[in-house]
Amino acid sequence: MKNCLSFLLSCLVYTSQAQVSSILPSPVTYVQSEGSFQINQALTVNPSEINSSLFTQLKELGTIYHQLRIEPNVQNAMLQFKKLENVKQDSYSINVAERITISYSSDASCYYAMTSLMQLMKRNENGLYTPKCFVKDFPNFQWRGLHLDVARHFFTVEEIKRFIDLMSYYKFNTFHWHLTDDQGWRIEIKKYPKLTEMGAWRDSTVDNHYTTVPRTYTKARYGGFYTQEQIKDVVAYAEAKYVTIVPEIEMPGHARAALAAYPEYSCTGKAQGVEGLWGIFDDIFCSKPASIQFLKDILDEVIPLFPGQYIHIGGDEAPKTRWHSCPKCQDIMKENHLKDEHELQSYFIRQMDAYVTAKGKKIIGWDEILEGGLSPNAAVMSWRGFDGGLEAAKQGHYVVMTPGSHCYFDHYQGKGKDEPLAIGGYTSLEKVFTFNPIPPDLGPEVSSYILGGQANIWTEYIPAFSKVEYMAYPRAIALSEALWCANKPTYDVFLSVLVQDHFPQLDQWKVNYSKSALKASVKTIRTNTGIELKSTEQSIENGKIKETSISFPFTRSKKKTKTETVTIHPEDESIRQTIQITNHLALGANVRFVTEPSPKYNGGDIVLVDGQFGARPWKGHEWIGFDTNVIVLEIDLGKVMKIHEIKVSFLQDENSWIHAPNQIVIESILPKRSDGIGMKEGPSIDGYAPNSEIWNLPYKGKTRTIRITISGEPEIPNGLPSEGNIPWIFIDEIQIN
Ligand code: ACM
Ligand code: ZN
């Protein structure tokens, strides 16, 4: 019986290992059999079995993946093609036995099969081979998209083509080209030449993160645009790789570049330059008929360039300040019985919808287009979470899910301070892998309106294409897994295929991808004498993930504050991490939250005494966040100590509604007797400094328990984001010296 059981177990292990292929996104079915099919240096094909474009693509894939020659052989080709009828959309199969057979239902699916075949190939001493196997595959979602913002930073036609190449190798089929924004207009419009003569160029660009004050600017002319001929070339290039381009022309907001060229289409008519700062700006297109006509004229030139179904009209982040004080906008509201400016935006978008629909296309817009009523034919791209998309789907509108939580590739992908500057937020490879555009428990009726998902790559902090690659890869591969594969493997299996089979391929293509997912995860643990950093890292051994941990102890220091650095993997820049520990008397001390932090930003009380300072721009986990304006907490030093200063550090980030406090009161409590019995009050101090990030409070005397009362503004002052609401207070460290 025991033998029987162990035989059965080993079979299970064998079969479950055998079902993992090197194809990403993972195919729906993969069955490997004994043996392999030797290809060596050239693969023969009967070219008459597929169209000439597919044959060209096959030759290109052969070269780019493996330097493999594709040679014609009419009689006895190694690779044969068969057309399938009446099967799921875009499904294909690959059978590798005495020869290779690709069966496909559409030209796109034939291309997908070819990319899968390339990913199956391995090399031995004779050249290339593939394991004998059977692959059956089809996409789970029909919209598998990547977006790229070329307005904040501009990328050349060659770079855009490389972006399309890479996405097509991972079975993406939609490229959302964000062509216009406040900081640049990037598409030639012949009727309005100033859009590119003036709107494509800015005179300065903000340095550093835009929340870093005081701001400095690089005063250099920056910009670029695509001619209509270049656009046609890119569209044809993408089409040959089964990628549809969705152009985005932003309206009514994010319009500063267009209005720099044609200020007459704003509400004020006042000329302003192309914006050099990132953010949201009050000057948007006026809703008057002349502005609507201007945008229709632009769409007249945009629509014929893009053969796909959808035109993206933006619709996000349009402040209504100018519309509110514009007599023309207010007249339009009265004439059309619109109750507020949201309804005016809806009225604006409806006109675009009718115009685009009459031309046989459909509009898609960011989820703000729901506000004030969704236009009849509009599809929605849900970016502020899933809710907008769900609401639109319930109303019977098509939806693409791009929630910031899973799909914003301008967020950090690693927690380390070594990550290159990003806008903020944290969206790890694993988080992307777990993405499902259809939230749990959604019925089939509503789900049927969810077309799929997309990642967005906003480029405020991505000035070079190599950094686009860094932010996109490998997260785009995890996204393709989430969107393509109806029965995803576990994250561990995905990661091991990614690292073993795809990282070498990306290396060969010289893609500047990130290895942050392989960086050690570092936890701070409280010890009796201070803290310990425990670094745990994953490596792939024999196709399995192995974890290894190392600890770095720190004993709380009685001396003046000193800073020590731990470097993990100093030898390899791609996974290196440096962590600075600023030692002090309260390192690892017990902290009691009298006021509970918000559960959203509570990484544990150790964060306040771990000797580590939060990153700026903040990423969340290194800070403790409170959504109240009076905070009380206590620190117990464990024994009576003589101290001379208390330093508390906060975050001031008005754009994230986080304000540093105005007042701190320190009280101290210490035992009356050396055996700890009885309590008496120690010295107390009081500091007042509005919105100060760093508080340095001198303290004279002995103490054991310190009670800190922190008070912030009761509400966010007028004129600042989220005015009138209680500000957040974020603390990263309480140092005691
Ligand atoms: C967006 O991120 N503003 C759509
Ligand atoms: Zn107006």
Side-chain angles (χ1 to χ4, degrees):
M1 183 63 198
K2 183 161 174 269
N3 278 347
C4 232
L5 189 66
S6 62
F7 171 75
L8 192 67
L9 282 176
S10 68
C11 281
L12 284 176
V13 169
Y14 172 76
T15 40
S16 67
Q17 278 180 354
Q19 306 308 311
V20 176
S21 78
S22 48
I23 301 168
L24 288 181
S26 303
V28 175
T29 305
Y30 178 76
V31 183
Q32 193 168 319
S33 40
E34 285 291 313
S36 59
F37 179 91
Q38 200 68 36
I39 299 165
N40 300 340
Q41 322 306 332
L43 180 67
T44 54
V45 177
N46 178 354
S48 68
E49 290 179 354
I50 46 173
N51 68 39
S52 63
S53 168
L54 279 167
F55 189 64
T56 305
Q57 292 304 325
L58 179 62
K59 284 199 284 192
E60 201 180 301
L61 289 169
T63 306
I64 187 103
Y65 267 89
H66 301 294
Q67 285 300 323
L68 170 69
R69 294 196 311 278
I70 307 293
E71 292 180 349
N73 182 328
V74 175
Q75 297 304 328
N76 193 23
M78 290 164 154
L79 170 58
Q80 299 194 330
F81 292 92
K82 283 197 187 130
K83 193 83 200 279
L84 293 169
E85 305 292 341
N86 304 324
V87 287
K88 254 184 176 312
Q89 194 188 343
D90 290 339
S91 62
Y92 73 86
S93 68
I94 306 172
N95 192 29
V96 185
E98 299 320 309
R99 59 179 83 243
I100 304 171
T101 308
I102 285 180
S103 306
Y104 66 97
S105 62
S106 60
D107 289 352
S109 69
C110 187
Y111 182 74
Y112 301 144
M114 291 170 176
T115 59
S116 292
L117 178 62
M118 292 300 152
Q119 294 181 4
L120 278 174
M121 291 180 193
K122 302 233 160 24
R123 201 170 278 283
N124 61 16
E125 56 287 8
N126 298 317
L128 291 166
Y129 72 95
T130 94
K132 288 194 173 167
C133 62
F134 176 70
V135 177
K136 186 169 184 299
D137 205 9
F138 52 85
N140 194 21
F141 289 101
Q142 56 172 289
W143 186 301
R144 302 180 303 280
L146 288 183
H147 148 291
L148 184 65
D149 164 14
V150 296
R152 274 54 178 264
H153 283 101
F154 179 70
F155 302 100
T156 64
V157 165
E158 286 319 304
E159 289 165 338
I160 298 297
K161 286 183 175 174
R162 179 167 161 98
F163 189 79
I164 291 166
D165 284 344
L166 289 171
M167 58 187 283
S168 77
Y169 303 152
Y170 288 101
K171 300 185 175 74
F172 284 98
N173 65 355
T174 307
F175 170 44
H176 172 168
W177 205 355
H178 184 82
L179 287 163
T180 73
D181 216 300
D182 298 302
Q183 298 80 7
W185 183 279
R186 307 276 176 237
I187 175 171
E188 177 193 25
I189 301 294
K190 293 185 200 286
K191 185 161 185 181
Y192 299 108
K194 284 190 288 181
L195 282 172
T196 45
E197 285 165 13
M198 295 170 72
W201 305 95
R202 59 180 183 251
D203 294 333
S204 69
T205 303
V206 66
D207 302 317
N208 307 314
H209 197 271
Y210 83 131
T211 56
T212 305
V213 281
R215 292 193 182 108
T216 60
Y217 289 80
T218 296
K219 297 233 168 14
R221 185 172 146 90
Y222 178 93
F225 66 92
Y226 310 104
T227 65
Q228 292 194 2
E229 285 312 305
Q230 286 175 317
I231 300 252
K232 284 183 204 161
D233 175 41
V234 172
V235 167
Y237 186 86
E239 223 176 0
K241 291 167 192 271
Y242 304 94
V243 172
T244 301
I245 303 187
V246 177
E248 181 177 353
I249 306 295
E250 273 270 20
M251 62 187 82
H254 288 295
R256 282 282 307 276
L259 296 175
Y262 295 95
E264 59 270 40
Y265 300 120
S266 69
C267 287
T268 64
K270 204 175 102 204
Q272 295 181 82
V274 176
E275 191 48 69
L277 175 64
W278 320 128
I280 298 174
F281 302 93
D282 282 341
D283 287 286
I284 67 174
F285 288 116
C286 181
S287 65
K288 65 191 174 193
S291 305
I292 301 285
Q293 189 54 46
F294 171 70
L295 289 165
K296 285 181 179 172
D297 291 344
I298 289 169
L299 292 176
D300 281 344
E301 293 192 35
V302 171
I303 288 171
L305 294 171
F306 295 93
Q309 236 186 343
Y310 283 101
I311 302 291
H312 202 301
I313 47 77
D316 61 320
E317 299 179 327
K320 306 299 184 294
T321 334
R322 294 289 181 259
W323 285 4
H324 196 68
S325 51
C326 168
K328 289 202 172 77
C329 288
Q330 292 302 314
D331 284 349
I332 292 167
M333 284 172 61
K334 276 192 215 100
E335 281 158 26
N336 295 281
H337 314 290
L338 306 172
K339 85 169 184 305
D340 59 18
E341 284 76 13
H342 293 299
E343 288 196 357
L344 181 57
Q345 167 147 334
S346 173
Y347 175 76
F348 188 114
I349 300 292
R350 272 171 213 262
Q351 294 176 76
M352 292 302 149
D353 181 1
Y355 195 71
V356 170
T357 303
K359 290 182 172 271
K361 302 276 180 174
K362 293 182 180 167
I363 62 160
I364 184 165
W366 301 110
D367 57 62
E368 285 93 332
I369 66 169
L370 278 152
E371 293 161 5
L374 193 48
S375 186
N377 310 301
V380 169
M381 200 166 255
S382 190
W383 72 281
R384 296 175 302 174
F386 290 83
D387 289 353
L390 282 178
E391 179 52 36
K394 284 181 191 151
Q395 293 180 26
H397 290 255
Y398 285 110
V399 168
V400 177
M401 289 290 190
T402 68
S405 53
H406 297 75
C407 296
Y408 267 47
F409 288 3
D410 55 343
H411 292 173
Y412 287 98
Q413 57 197 305
K415 288 188 171 178
K417 294 203 175 72
D418 317 63
E419 284 296 328
L421 183 67
I423 196 158
Y426 174 60
T427 303
S428 67
L429 183 69
E430 187 167 3
K431 181 89 183 186
V432 179
F433 177 84
T434 63
F435 176 52
N436 185 351
I438 299 182
D441 306 325
L442 197 67
E445 167 71 22
V446 179
S447 304
S448 69
Y449 286 102
I450 299 178
L451 299 174
Q454 173 180 296
N456 299 330
I457 307 176
W458 302 102
T459 58
E460 286 92 334
Y461 304 99
I462 309 185
F465 190 71
S466 63
K467 194 167 173 189
V468 171
E469 292 185 346
Y470 183 87
M471 299 307 276
Y473 287 89
R475 287 188 287 192
I477 305 177
L479 181 68
S480 80
E481 189 81 345
L483 297 175
W484 178 277
C485 189
N487 57 340
K488 279 188 293 205
T490 62
Y491 178 68
D492 282 10
V493 168
F494 163 76
L495 189 65
S496 108
V497 175
L498 177 73
V499 172
Q500 287 193 138
D501 298 312
H502 291 260
F503 279 6
Q505 186 64 68
L506 295 173
D507 284 330
Q508 186 199 311
W509 291 332
K510 298 193 164 47
V511 176
N512 182 35
Y513 64 97
S514 163
K515 287 193 186 161
S516 301
L518 298 182
K519 283 184 180 171
S521 78
V522 184
K523 277 208 169 84
T524 308
I525 295 164
R526 182 176 270 124
T527 63
N528 287 339
T529 55
I531 59 160
E532 181 178 283
L533 295 184
K534 185 172 173 206
S535 145
T536 305
E537 65 185 46
Q538 299 184 326
S539 55
I540 312 292
E541 261 186 40
N542 305 321
K544 293 234 166 66
I545 294 181
K546 189 178 139 206
E547 289 204 338
T548 330
S549 294
I550 327 171
S551 287
F552 305 89
F554 291 86
T555 304
R556 69 180 68 96
S557 166
K558 295 188 178 57
K559 298 192 200 99
K560 242 178 119 64
T561 302
K562 60 176 179 163
T563 300
E564 286 175 71
T565 303
V566 172
T567 306
I568 298 162
H569 286 296
E571 79 294 351
D572 182 350
E573 196 190 349
S574 68
I575 51 170
R576 184 183 306 153
Q577 286 185 78
T578 48
I579 298 161
Q580 290 207 321
I581 299 293
T582 300
N583 209 330
H584 54 87
L585 283 176
L587 193 75
N590 285 316
V591 179
R592 185 168 86 86
F593 289 129
V594 180
T595 310
E596 278 299 320
S598 157
K600 267 167 82 175
Y601 303 108
N602 182 3
D605 59 278
I606 184 83
V607 171
L608 295 182
V609 286
D610 63 1
Q612 295 158 64
F613 295 94
R616 286 151 202 270
W618 67 283
K619 295 185 205 167
H621 62 279
E622 295 149 326
W623 300 85
I624 301 288
F626 295 84
D627 47 5
T628 54
N629 47 24
V630 179
I631 300 162
V632 181
L633 42 90
E634 286 178 1
I635 300 193
D636 180 0
L637 296 172
K639 60 180 184 199
V640 177
M641 291 185 184
K642 192 166 168 223
I643 67 172
H644 68 270
E645 105 187 312
I646 297 166
K647 273 185 170 175
V648 195
S649 45
F650 298 89
L651 184 64
Q652 174 77 11
D653 181 355
E654 289 164 3
N655 289 304
S656 303
W657 318 343
I658 302 167
H659 290 227
N662 294 339
Q663 187 179 27
I664 296 186
V665 176
I666 309 268
E667 297 160 281
S668 89
I669 310 157
L670 69 170
K672 260 186 184 149
R673 287 174 18 185
S674 59
D675 58 7
I677 294 180
M679 291 299 209
K680 65 174 184 191
E681 274 184 28
S684 85
I685 50 172
D686 188 336
Y688 182 81
N691 297 134
S692 284
E693 285 197 305
I694 309 293
W695 293 71
N696 214 332
L697 299 156
Y699 185 102
K700 258 202 159 47
K702 284 185 174 177
T703 187
R704 170 168 167 171
T705 303
I706 294 160
R707 173 180 268 252
I708 306 178
T709 304
I710 297 157
S711 308
E713 294 150 344
E715 59 183 49
I716 297 177
N718 285 347
L720 294 178
S722 194
E723 63 184 47
N725 290 314
I726 298 177
W728 287 87
I729 297 181
F730 273 55
I731 317 178
D732 65 345
E733 191 73 1
I734 300 172
Q735 297 174 69
I736 299 182
N737 294 309

